[in-house]
Amino acid sequence: MTTTADQPATEAGPTVASPARDPFDKDVLPTPQGASRALLRSLLAPARRPARLAVVLLLLQQAAVQAGPLLVAYAIDRGVPAVRRGDHGPLVAVAVGYAVCALASGLLQLAFVRLAARIGQDVLLDLRGRIFRHAQSLSVDFHERYTSGRLISRATTDVESIRELLNDGLQELIGVALSVVYVSATLLYLDPGLGGAALLSFAPLYLLVRSYRRRSMRVYSRRSTAIAAVIVKFTETMNGIRPVKAFRRESANDAHFDELNDTHRRANADAMLEMARYVVLSRLTANTVLAAIVLWGAYRVAGGGLALGALAASVLYLRRLYDPIDRLGMFLNSYQSAAASLEKIAGLLAQRPSVPEPRDPTPLPPRPAGSPGREVVLDGVRFAYRTGGEVLPRFDLTLAAGRTVAVVGSTGAGKSTLAKLLARFYDPTEGEVRLDGVPLRDLAGAELRRGVVMVTQEAFLFSGTVAENIAIGRPGATREDIEQAAKAIGAHDFITALPDGYDTDVRKRGGRISAGQRQLVAFARALLADPAVLILDEATSSLDIPGERAVQRAMRVVLRGRTAVIIAHRLSTVSIADRVLVMADGRIVEDGVPSGLVAGTGRYAKLHRAWRDGLA
């Protein structure tokens, strides 16, 4: 015995207002404070030990590199006078020392690059995996609002920005930092006056770097958003290439793409302009300071207050001190790009499923062998999408175990929303959906997906063989199990007629076979999964008459002994149902057996007559 109560919402329920601004309308998802830093720490945590070794290698490499000017100073102040006395030992020692330092620097650099590359690739491997796994874990409503193009941009363009920082930028940063420490200490050792002057010159350079970092962060955030928009448009157009061709949208798409591409070009140009401005100003500042120090040092050499070798070494060190400022700009360039990308990725990873896994799952009661499906109850259910408007007012429904229920109604009546609630793609705004008395919220995701399977209007097939696509219903199924499911559905004959039979690659979205054949494969997949509850969301609406008849025969097989909900667009599908629900404005307005409703004068009878006249 199954009943429906479709009372008006007299009690005060939660009001769901449309938000003033949907954050999904923008490319940047809201990122919690500190989420980017926390993400970076978690990515680098497994690499702490090799990272320490990498720093030690770079310390030793910088020590070998920075020994060069000191050896030059020693050669000028000690080696040359010793040669004049006939003693070639100091000069030869300098030459040997310089060669040893150069060799050591090269070997240490090689070891560092190999180790840093391994660390960087491990971090990127982890990050890509996190993005992919997290994107799959997010609920359907997220993917309906946040486009696949943006997800692709997060996993490709933004990860690539972080790769550039890890591969090149960090080495530059650590190299510049060590260079500043080594050179400053050595300059102070050679001559406190020159060292002090060099350190004072860092004040304007620091202000310049700070200004560049602030301006470029905004520029790189815009650039990351712009490239994501380009990828979104490209992906959307290629996925919809058939309607693009059918409605001759090429020119309009070209114009829109050119606009997005031009926005990306301008964002890139702004980034390059900021970089150019920084490089010019930093070089101007560094060369002015260097000229002043050289002039002052020359006067001191002429007055006998400074050794010539010390001045020569100081000039070499000063060049080494200021030359990395350009490289620091390149690092900041990579850093700002990576920081903007990391913020976007952190914003994505901070999203939580609107349909979360229960903390303490409740198992379904065991289903006896041969038991006709499971009972489904919607109790006091209300539902509204985030973007506003209540789709289902108070909704009560009981679906008896093992019975097939067809749901019909006009577009926007709430049929597909009902199907999504039954499959727990969404949770009700209020009330609960129960399966054999257990709320769907309390079921572990894996158990729910084993018990409830949905076959949609578009039977999506993955790239791979026919057998692999059927086996998705039950991973680990044998070839015999797969073939038995296909035979039961009536798909075996067309599959064996394919070039490689069950091993035929169906290619992208199953484009190698027809829509009706794809639907039969989807039914074989559902039969192999053996769910207690099966939901068919307009599974025949896109098929021609022969294809529809083949699928209807398959439906009778797959629905046998299960609780089934058929969201019907074509009334020919309704004939196999035990019960029909007619929906309008999110409510059930008629409920009964098909023959009884046809004989009446209600909405279903009118729909049926219109459909029958259309066939005639």
Side-chain angles (χ1 to χ4, degrees):
M1 191 267 300
T2 57
T3 59
T4 20
D6 205 22
Q7 308 118 346
T10 50
E11 61 245 52
T15 9
V16 183
S18 178
R21 181 181 64 86
D22 187 352
F24 285 69
D25 290 340
K26 300 293 182 183
D27 183 51
V28 183
L29 293 170
T31 307
Q33 186 72 26
S36 298
R37 291 190 295 273
L39 173 60
L40 187 60
R41 283 196 300 270
S42 69
L43 289 169
L44 295 176
R48 286 176 183 170
R49 185 174 296 177
R52 293 191 191 103
L53 176 58
V55 171
V56 169
L57 290 173
L58 203 56
L59 280 169
L60 296 174
Q61 188 263 346
Q62 282 292 313
V65 168
Q66 301 302 342
L70 276 179
L71 292 173
V72 170
Y74 184 84
I76 292 174
D77 292 338
R78 302 287 181 87
V80 172
V83 168
R84 288 177 178 173
R85 297 193 303 269
D87 182 6
H88 294 273
L91 205 57
V92 171
V94 166
V96 172
Y98 209 101
V100 169
C101 286
L103 180 62
S105 172
L107 292 175
L108 289 166
Q109 176 75 8
L110 175 63
F112 170 81
V113 167
R114 293 184 63 179
L115 183 57
R118 193 182 75 194
I119 294 171
Q121 289 304 312
D122 287 346
V123 168
L124 296 176
L125 179 70
D126 184 13
L127 183 58
R128 287 193 192 97
R130 290 192 195 192
I131 293 172
F132 185 77
R133 288 189 297 272
H134 190 72
Q136 286 193 109
S137 74
L138 292 172
S139 306
V140 172
D141 69 328
F142 175 88
H143 293 282
E144 288 179 344
R145 294 183 295 153
Y146 197 74
T147 62
S148 59
R150 289 177 181 174
L151 284 172
I152 292 169
S153 180
R154 298 294 83 83
T156 54
T157 306
D158 289 324
V159 170
E160 180 65 16
S161 295
I162 296 171
R163 184 200 65 77
E164 290 178 3
L165 177 67
L166 291 173
N167 285 4
D168 305 319
L170 288 179
Q171 181 182 353
E172 292 293 343
L173 175 65
I174 298 172
V176 168
L178 292 177
S179 178
V180 168
V181 172
Y182 277 126
V183 169
S184 299
T186 308
L187 283 174
L188 290 171
Y189 167 74
L190 288 172
D191 184 79
L194 290 176
L199 291 176
L200 287 174
S201 70
F202 273 96
L205 289 172
Y206 167 75
L207 294 175
L208 184 62
V209 168
R210 184 179 176 183
S211 172
Y212 170 73
R213 180 181 175 185
R214 187 175 58 250
R215 292 195 310 272
S216 62
M217 184 64 182
R218 293 192 295 268
V219 171
Y220 280 106
S221 182
R222 289 201 306 270
R223 190 182 77 166
S224 180
T225 299
I227 187 59
V230 170
I231 293 173
V232 167
K233 183 62 181 176
F234 192 91
T235 305
E236 180 185 70
T237 302
M238 294 305 109
N239 284 339
I241 194 65
R242 290 179 182 176
V244 166
K245 295 287 188 184
F247 292 98
R248 300 179 180 178
R249 288 284 303 171
E250 293 91 342
S251 297
N253 283 343
D254 285 348
H256 190 200
F257 188 82
D258 287 345
E259 182 183 338
L260 295 174
N261 213 12
D262 188 60
T263 301
H264 180 233
R265 178 191 62 80
R266 291 198 304 272
N268 267 321
D270 289 343
M272 294 174 66
L273 182 62
E274 289 296 337
M275 183 64 190
R277 184 183 292 120
Y278 167 78
V279 169
V280 169
L281 291 176
S282 65
R283 285 182 179 177
L284 178 63
T285 303
N287 289 332
T288 301
V289 171
L290 182 60
I293 290 177
V294 168
L295 183 62
W296 178 45
Y299 275 109
R300 290 182 60 196
V301 170
L306 182 66
L308 179 60
L311 177 60
S314 297
V315 171
L316 290 173
Y317 276 123
L318 285 169
R319 288 289 353 152
R320 293 189 177 193
L321 191 62
Y322 294 138
D323 283 349
I325 298 301
D326 287 354
R327 300 206 308 272
L328 180 61
M330 297 302 295
F331 164 75
L332 288 174
N333 191 24
S334 298
Y335 171 78
Q336 298 294 40
S337 178
S341 295
L342 192 66
E343 183 179 6
K344 292 176 185 291
I345 293 172
L348 170 63
L349 296 180
Q351 299 300 306
R352 289 293 166 260
S354 59
V355 180
E357 281 282 313
R359 292 185 179 179
D360 188 16
T362 302
L364 281 171
R367 185 167 57 129
S371 175
R374 294 184 183 273
E375 181 187 66
V376 179
V377 175
L378 286 86
D379 185 9
V381 165
R382 298 176 188 265
F383 181 76
Y385 290 101
R386 288 190 186 184
T387 47
E390 193 169 53
V391 180
L392 296 181
R394 182 175 175 86
F395 196 94
D396 296 277
L397 175 65
T398 298
L399 304 177
R403 308 291 284 178
T404 297
V405 178
V407 184
V408 301
S410 59
T411 301
K415 306 185 301 296
S416 291
T417 300
L418 174 63
K420 291 172 183 177
L421 290 174
L422 294 175
R424 208 194 169 208
F425 289 165
Y426 293 90
D427 277 334
T429 309
E430 185 181 303
E432 65 182 15
V433 182
R434 295 191 294 271
L435 186 63
D436 270 0
V438 180
L440 297 191
R441 296 176 192 267
D442 296 339
L443 286 174
E447 185 164 18
L448 174 63
R449 297 304 162 216
R450 282 195 299 269
V452 180
V453 168
M454 184 182 219
V455 178
T456 60
Q457 177 179 352
E458 181 189 2
F460 189 96
L461 300 187
F462 296 91
S463 297
T465 67
V466 175
E468 288 168 346
N469 272 280
I470 295 175
I472 290 172
R474 194 205 311 162
T478 65
R479 175 58 69 92
E480 183 181 0
D481 294 332
I482 293 168
E483 292 185 6
Q484 283 180 352
K487 287 175 182 176
I489 290 299
H492 180 73
D493 290 343
F494 95 78
I495 294 174
T496 53
L498 293 173
D500 297 311
Y502 283 85
D503 294 319
T504 301
D505 191 333
V506 297
R507 299 177 183 167
K508 178 184 175 184
R509 292 178 176 264
R512 196 169 183 177
I513 59 179
S514 71
Q517 291 170 337
R518 288 196 297 272
Q519 202 66 275
L520 289 176
V521 171
F523 277 122
R525 177 194 296 167
L527 182 64
L528 190 62
D530 191 25
V533 178
L534 186 63
I535 303 166
L536 307 180
D537 189 4
E538 300 192 357
T540 65
S541 63
S542 61
L543 303 180
D544 56 17
I545 298 301
E548 181 184 7
R549 288 173 180 167
V551 168
Q552 284 179 345
R553 287 192 294 270
M555 286 171 61
R556 286 186 169 87
V557 173
V558 79
L559 297 181
R560 192 177 300 127
R562 308 179 201 283
T563 305
V565 177
I566 304 173
I567 308 300
H569 178 73
R570 293 181 177 176
L571 295 190
S572 55
T573 311
V574 177
S575 59
I576 63 175
D578 304 308
R579 176 185 177 192
V580 176
L581 306 176
V582 181
M583 290 189 67
D585 299 323
R587 300 175 185 274
I588 297 174
V589 294
E590 291 184 24
D591 180 359
V593 296
S595 57
L597 293 179
V598 168
T601 58
R603 296 194 184 203
Y604 183 77
K606 293 176 183 177
L607 286 171
H608 190 272
R609 281 196 296 272
W611 168 73
R612 187 185 57 198
D613 293 344
L615 290 180

